[in-house]
Amino acid sequence: MTAPRTFGFPGANIKLPPMIALPMGAMLEIVRQDERFAIDAFGSHFPLAHLAPIAKKQPDFVSVAETLLGAPYLWGGKSSLGIDCSGLVQIALQAAGIASPRDSKVQETALGTATPLAGLRRGDLIFWKGHVAIARDNETIIHANAHHMMVAIEKAADAIARIKATGNDVTNVKRLV
């Protein structure tokens, strides 16, 4: 699934009430397809434009995270209906073919190599105790957070200062490539 979420319809008509809603990253077994829909064994019709073969990897995991901009914050969530910081990282990395643990503490240990905050660049992961954000560039980040109660983009310096004011300083910056 490449869209933030998609619907399965009971027939090849988007005006029918959907039977199911699936999140980004959901895997389907498709039994047949027509020119606009892929059909699973239960007869649900999913728009082909929202699907991709399992082997297809997104070239930029940061762009994947950006598709979830505005999704509400939900501790433990992993979909556009509700997502937390480590879920955002895991989903985005998964779409790019990069395995990621679920929890930010484990992600900090398992992913990438340490790099200085001063050299921040697109795709770097910034860690605090219990939180992770993705650098969009050397000035902005995207993260699911309880401050905004959603996936938000903000200046890295502002987020770092705000989080530091609560007693949590950056613990690590990790570069994946």
Side-chain angles (χ1 to χ4, degrees), residues 1-6 22-25 60-74 77-95 134 136 142-145 149-153:
M1 192 89 45
T2 59
R5 78 179 80 104
T6 195
L22 295 177
M24 179 184 289
D60 179 18
F61 80 92
V62 181
S63 293
V64 174
E66 290 168 341
T67 68
L68 293 164
L69 188 63
Y73 178 81
L74 177 65
K78 270 187 57 170
S79 81
S80 61
L81 296 176
I83 194 164
D84 69 9
C85 62
S86 57
L88 178 66
V89 168
Q90 188 181 46
I91 288 171
L93 289 175
Q94 177 185 9
I134 303 168
R136 295 177 66 239
I142 183 168
H143 58 145
N145 65 88
M149 287 306 296
M150 70 175 115
V151 176
I153 293 171

Side-chain angles (χ1 to χ4, degrees), residues 8 19 21 44 46 86 94 132 138 151 156 166:
M19 297 168 47
S44 294
F46 297 93
S86 57
Q94 177 185 9
V132 60
N138 66 337
V151 176
T166 68

Side-chain angles (χ1 to χ4, degrees), residues 73 84-86 104-105 107-108 126-133 141-146 162-163 171:
Y73 178 81
D84 69 9
C85 62
S86 57
S104 63
K105 183 177 180 180
Q107 289 172 343
E108 182 175 3
I126 306 170
F127 291 93
W128 295 264
K129 181 180 180 185
H131 189 61
V132 60
I141 61 171
I142 183 168
H143 58 145
N145 65 88
R162 185 183 70 253
I163 295 169
T171 57

